[in-house]
Amino acid sequence: MEEVIIDAQGKTPREVNQILKISCKDKDKFIIKNPNAMHYIAAGLTEPVDVEIDGSAGYFAGTMIHGARIHINGNAGWFPGDNMTEGEVIVDGSAGDGVGQGIYGGTVVIRRDAGSRTGEIMKNGTIIIGGNSGFMTGLFMMGGRIIILGDISDDAGESIIRGVIYIKGAIKSLGKNAKVKEINDADKKELEELLPQYGFNLEREEYADFKKIVPLSKRPFYGKESEEG
């Protein structure tokens, strides 16, 4: 794997991303130094390359990627992994609002806490939050899975349509069309197989602490209220 170091100091997001997009045609590993919380880092990458951001990133890190694997050694601002279709965005620290907003596939991992509206309008894919997640997590969620190892704040699963939110900690309150269910053996097996892949090594008995939020109704905005999901 040939490694390329990009010094972002003094460069604009456009310049950094242009270097990435041109170089990723024949290189497959990039380290971005001095990111200084730059917005839009690694936006729109469509090659299966590895990008390490050596520091914190700003808004929309890894937005609209397809296949790239992005590792942020610090924190991230709002909307990391926004609208990605395939690949990974891993943040070693915390992240702001809208983690994984609108994703169609791939995996977003925040090792610490996330802000509000995690997974808003996501269609598929996986989001893992190692700490707590803020209000309206799963807002208008249409598919995929969100896994919260800490607590989840107000209005969890607000207007959820499809998908599932797994929570290990406490649920402050539920949003409209959200209900809590116990996890089953298949859910537990899924979590046991997935979480260690991203360095979350729980004791076997800890998986029993998880519960899940799912849609109350398949037709939350019309139809019969009794038509449950």
Side-chain angles (χ1 to χ4, degrees), residues 50-210:
D50 291 292
V51 179
E52 179 182 338
I53 298 172
D54 190 15
S56 292
Y59 296 170
F60 292 100
T63 181
M64 295 184 289
I65 62 170
H66 181 79
R69 295 171 296 276
I70 298 170
H71 186 175
I72 300 170
N73 291 335
N75 301 315
W78 289 16
F79 310 120
D82 162 77
N83 274 288
M84 70 186 291
T85 52
E86 185 180 306
E88 287 182 347
V89 176
I90 298 176
V91 180
D92 285 345
S94 297
D97 296 350
V99 170
Q101 173 183 260
I103 64 171
Y104 293 83
T107 302
V108 182
V109 178
I110 310 298
R111 299 207 179 279
R112 296 184 181 175
D113 298 331
S116 65
R117 300 186 297 275
T118 297
E120 178 179 2
I121 62 171
M122 67 183 287
K123 288 82 173 174
N124 210 333
T126 298
I127 298 173
I128 303 172
I129 308 297
N132 303 324
S133 188
F135 67 84
M136 287 191 178
T137 290
L139 174 65
F140 290 116
M141 185 178 180
M142 300 178 194
R145 57 189 175 179
I146 301 174
I147 303 166
I148 312 293
L149 276 75
D151 300 334
I152 193 169
S153 193
D154 303 89
D155 299 321
E158 171 65 32
S159 299
I160 183 173
I161 299 167
R162 295 286 188 276
V164 59
I165 306 171
Y166 296 103
I167 308 100
K168 186 174 183 291
I171 301 170
K172 189 168 184 181
S173 67
L174 291 173
K176 294 186 292 294
N177 201 49
K179 67 178 179 181
V180 178
K181 293 182 68 175
E182 297 298 316
I183 64 169
N184 56 36
D185 289 342
D187 296 325
K188 188 176 177 183
K189 185 173 186 291
E190 181 180 335
L191 293 169
E192 288 174 342
E193 291 176 351
L194 175 67
L195 290 175
Q197 294 179 35
Y198 292 97
F200 297 106
N201 298 306
L202 279 60
E203 297 295 331
R204 191 171 183 83
E205 58 270 19
E206 289 186 85
Y207 288 95
D209 296 336
F210 281 96

